[in-house]
Amino acid sequence: MTKLPERSRPRSLWPEMSDLFAGLPSWANIRPALGSHVIRVEDELKDGSYELRAEVPGVDPAKDVDVTVRDGVLTIKAERSEKKETNGHSEFSYGSFIRSVTLPVGADEDAITASYDKGILTVSVPVTQAHEAAEKHVEVQAAS
């Protein structure tokens, strides 16, 4: 009885995508090196109000959250600091978090309110029924 060699699985000339990135740090680990983390948000415009909900768990809203508005841009900044050092594994993010969003046309920047409950920051912005700006066409001239 002869033993035939086992057939190996044919390999592609192209490496697997995971092989290309093996040994490199993950994006989650690179973000802190770039400065700050992005705050995840959801928003909606309904009943004359723009409402933005931002995920910022584990912070003291009175001390660690700053909400500002300038020139139609709403910015949320938060800071979460680690309370104790551990030798275990953690996927929690600590440090500075920031997110800016452009407010809709007709937003009343002077009447913005914000509240915090169970890790969710809710920012409400009244929006007046501003008239839609007419579309303006700009003539494009050819260079001579």
Side-chain angles (χ1 to χ4, degrees):
M1 181 167 166
T2 61
K3 288 190 174 182
L4 296 173
E6 285 184 25
R7 291 193 73 184
S8 61
R9 183 173 58 125
R11 287 196 60 126
S12 168
L13 292 176
W14 298 101
E16 295 290 324
M17 289 302 290
S18 60
D19 294 341
L20 289 175
F21 299 106
L24 294 177
S26 72
W27 287 111
N29 294 331
I30 291 174
R31 270 191 311 199
L34 298 176
S36 62
H37 305 280
V38 174
I39 298 172
R40 295 188 300 195
V41 300
E42 58 185 23
D43 64 353
E44 63 183 327
L45 183 60
K46 66 176 186 178
D47 301 327
S49 181
Y50 172 74
E51 187 172 280
L52 177 101
R53 288 174 299 283
E55 246 183 16
V56 284
V59 299
D60 179 347
K63 295 189 297 186
D64 301 328
V65 178
D66 185 32
V67 179
T68 59
V69 64
R70 181 177 189 184
D71 298 329
V73 177
L74 176 75
T75 301
I76 301 168
K77 296 177 187 174
E79 182 79 27
R80 184 170 47 223
S81 52
E82 193 169 12
K83 299 205 184 323
K84 62 179 181 171
E85 291 190 28
T86 178
N87 292 330
H89 173 75
S90 175
E91 294 182 359
F92 290 2
S93 296
Y94 297 97
S96 298
F97 297 79
I98 190 166
R99 185 66 181 261
S100 293
V101 296
T102 302
L103 294 174
V105 173
D108 184 355
E109 295 182 7
D110 295 325
I112 296 175
T113 60
S115 62
Y116 183 84
D117 184 39
K118 299 178 184 168
I120 303 296
L121 175 71
T122 302
V123 180
S124 298
V125 184
V127 178
T128 61
Q129 295 296 335
H131 62 283
E132 289 289 322
E135 184 176 60
K136 180 181 177 181
H137 291 273
V138 177
E139 183 180 343
V140 178
Q141 301 195 6
S144 5

